Amino acid sequence: MVELSTTKDGIPNQAEASDRVLQILSEAGRLFATKGYDGTSMRDIAVACGISKSLLYHHFSNKDEIYARVAVGSTLELYLFVRDRVPDGPPSQKIRAFMVATAEYFRRYRWAWIASTTAFWNDPDRHRQKERLTRRDRFENFLRGLIQEAIDAGEIRKVDVPMTGRLILSSLNWMHRWYNPNKSATPEQIADIFFDMVFNGLRSGDAAGSPPAETLKSSRRKARQTPRS
Amino acid sequence: MVELSTTKDGIPNQAEASDRVLQILSEAGRLFATKGYDGTSMRDIAVACGISKSLLYHHFSNKDEIYARVAVGSTLELYLFVRDRVPDGPPSQKIRAFMVATAEYFRRYRWAWIASTTAFWNDPDRHRQKERLTRRDRFENFLRGLIQEAIDAGEIRKVDVPMTGRLILSSLNWMHRWYNPNKSATPEQIADIFFDMVFNGLRSGDAAGSPPAETLKSSRRKARQTPRS
DNA sequence: AGCGGGCTTGACCGGCCGGTCGGTGAAAAT
DNA sequence: ATTTTCACCGACCGGCCGGTCAAGCCCGCT
């Protein structure tokens, strides 16, 4: 038996992989996410796993394949993951569920998520880049559909749909830069707060909509100590 | 006279630098922004400038110094740039001015902005990382102060101030990933739209606040064709 | 006991990396 | 007229990069 890594952060959709492969993907994901693709050498990955560099090439054909398994494997089913968590109901609540589900995906597959969204946002591999954009489009179109639904239902005003989608995705996509898993709210709670702010607006005056389903407990703390954006 | 680069994208705060140095900084910024720090070699920069690699070392002591001039030089005065463009008036309008000014900075110093916010978000140089965090804190604290002002003035409801700041900065910080300078709205217009959405909210029902000062002209286009987030 | 085969290794490769060095030619200073 | 200065270059360096390879180790099977 091999002694495995301490950080078994999830890499999605790797059902039939061996422990060793899962360990490599996990460590590689963490390294890609923190140091970038070019900043992570095969030696780095090998050392992090406590194995020889050659063994990496026994399980994977090259560095790119490791990255592909981490990144593509992670974004592969984001759309399905989120879609399955958006229940029937008022369109606005579907948007909220969309945001919370995306946040849950971020929490569960954090390193893979960061690795896939930061390294290679200009991917030199044309085919892979095209494939990623296709998936991203499908994901974003799904959100735009929900927004359009909410407009048609009269729940939200006639805003610019693509721009609204970008605002919502911005709030989720930027989260990895300031989120600290050891502090305060979970990603799902944060997504819920963001939905409340965007849906109901910051402006005071009218009774400002329903409060978030679950509000975070410790929102009172010194501004100095909270993580930055 | 030397034949200079075609893309003279701004690198701020380089007043007394020679043409050649400005050219190097400009090309390096563009490369760092598109291919990352590790993905950009000194040879790449030299070739992009049409000069020899040695000449880079004549003008700069090493690769890190080039990056520092690009990144630190750009974030150096973001706070001052924005502060000077936030006029007296209702706090909510100061927040809007904050967002529009940040967007203007992004438009003017696009590559430098991207290079400084993407490459090295985990900077191995501890001192420089600390300095950047300090500047980032000052910038973010300024925004939090404006939000608190707006709450105290009763213009916006009692939201979580740090979280609200993160939402606003997310919308601005993520913009470089989908903004296309050849299409539709300027960054300033986008910031204005985002402010409207966040301030007034998406929810319909009440007459939804004042429209943005300048609304973009061509918001009607096929969803397929608009850039993604 | 013998054996096949997957897991694992260390030594090694060509190439690109950031960085150095001695030198050149032309303008500026003396 | 000579020296100094300075932008600029080609050749080169040690080291790390991604990747290869032949060989050992260890296991269950016969």
Side-chain angles (χ1 to χ4, degrees), chain A residues 44-63:
Chain A
D44 291 339
I45 300 175
V47 168
C49 295
I51 61 178
S52 73
K53 190 161 67 78
S54 311
L55 188 51
L56 296 177
Y57 287 94
H58 174 73
H59 291 290
F60 302 90
S61 60
N62 52 41
K63 185 182 181 182

Side-chain angles (χ1 to χ4, degrees), chain B residues 10 16 19-20 35 40 98 114 161 225:
Chain B
E16 65 252 34
D19 283 355
R20 175 106 302 159
K35 310 204 309 173
T40 302
F98 174 96
I114 296 175
V161 172
Q225 291 172 350

Side-chain angles (χ1 to χ4, degrees), chain A residues 223 228, chain B residues 86 91-92 94-95 98 137-153 156 161-162 165:
Chain A
R228 305 287 152 166
Chain B
V86 172
S92 65
K94 291 166 87 169
I95 294 175
F98 174 96
D137 283 357
R138 188 175 55 166
F139 181 65
E140 187 156 2
N141 277 331
F142 179 56
L143 173 59
R144 291 182 183 183
L146 298 183
I147 295 168
Q148 189 61 56
E149 267 188 58
I151 293 176
D152 295 342
I156 71 179
V161 172

Side-chain angles (χ1 to χ4, degrees), chain B residues 124-190:
Chain B
D125 181 328
R126 303 293 293 266
H127 176 65
R128 185 172 58 198
Q129 173 74 350
K130 187 182 160 196
E131 198 176 314
R132 297 171 77 179
L133 289 182
T134 300
R135 273 204 273 273
R136 192 121 209 108
D137 283 357
R138 188 175 55 166
F139 181 65
E140 187 156 2
N141 277 331
F142 179 56
L143 173 59
R144 291 182 183 183
L146 298 183
I147 295 168
Q148 189 61 56
E149 267 188 58
I151 293 176
D152 295 342
E155 277 196 299
I156 71 179
R157 56 194 173 96
K158 290 192 180 64
V159 285
D160 184 270
V161 172
M163 203 62 85
T164 306
R166 289 187 198 106
L167 174 63
I168 289 173
L169 290 178
S170 296
S171 71
L172 300 169
N173 285 334
W174 193 251
M175 201 158 56
H176 76 265
R177 289 292 293 272
W178 59 269
Y179 171 68
N180 185 333
N182 300 322
K183 291 186 183 172
S184 62
T186 66
E188 290 94 322
Q189 290 171 323
I190 293 166

